[in-house]
Amino acid sequence: QVQLVESGGGLVQAGGSLRLSCAASGRTFSNYAMGWFRQAPGKEREFVASITWTGKTTTYAGSVKGRSTISRDNAKNTVYLQMNSLKPEDTAVYYCAASRDILVVRTNPDYWGQGTQVTVSS
């Protein structure tokens, strides 16, 4: 089992920035690919970004590419999502996810966090 706990969400004005963190425990963090997803009210959960266990390869959804950066610190068992130039349409609950397989983490992760709310005001 892998336990994931997100933090760093909040209320921010459009154009602002937030850094989300996800602390992992339970298994060897460096063995897992990590991802971020989000779910806006009335919408399905969608993929935001992923990172391989080495941190060398990252992938982004088109809606956040160029504005967001996913990174990880394996020594701290933590993955981050830096979000810049935030827009009202970025408002959602953001979830951290983990899987051994980078392809699986982008589509159907094995483990999920409880989510953290991000609200962007116009």
Side-chain angles (χ1 to χ4, degrees):
Q1 287 288 337
V2 175
Q3 291 79 43
L4 304 171
V5 179
E6 302 95 334
S7 61
L11 174 64
V12 63
Q13 288 188 333
S17 298
L18 279 177
R19 187 175 82 155
L20 306 183
S21 299
C22 173
S25 63
R27 291 288 178 92
T28 304
F29 177 72
S30 59
N31 288 343
Y32 286 82
M34 302 297 295
W36 286 95
F37 289 72
R38 68 185 183 185
Q39 187 168 19
K43 295 187 178 181
E44 293 187 353
R45 192 175 299 186
E46 64 176 2
F47 169 78
V48 174
S50 65
I51 188 167
T52 54
W53 67 271
T54 62
K56 291 183 179 180
T57 302
T58 57
T59 303
Y60 298 91
S63 56
V64 304
K65 195 170 186 178
R67 301 188 295 120
S68 297
T69 303
I70 187 171
S71 61
R72 66 189 296 160
D73 185 337
N74 287 344
K76 295 183 178 180
N77 290 353
T78 301
V79 63
Y80 305 96
L81 183 67
Q82 176 70 43
M83 301 187 295
N84 302 320
S85 302
L86 283 162
K87 306 174 181 179
E89 50 264 43
D90 293 318
T91 295
V93 177
Y94 283 71
Y95 297 90
C96 178
S99 180
R100 290 286 194 108
D101 191 305
I102 185 62
L103 295 180
V104 173
V105 85
R106 294 173 191 160
T107 56
N108 189 27
D110 298 302
Y111 303 100
W112 292 94
Q114 83 290 346
T116 185
Q117 176 71 47
V118 171
T119 303
V120 184
S121 63
S122 58

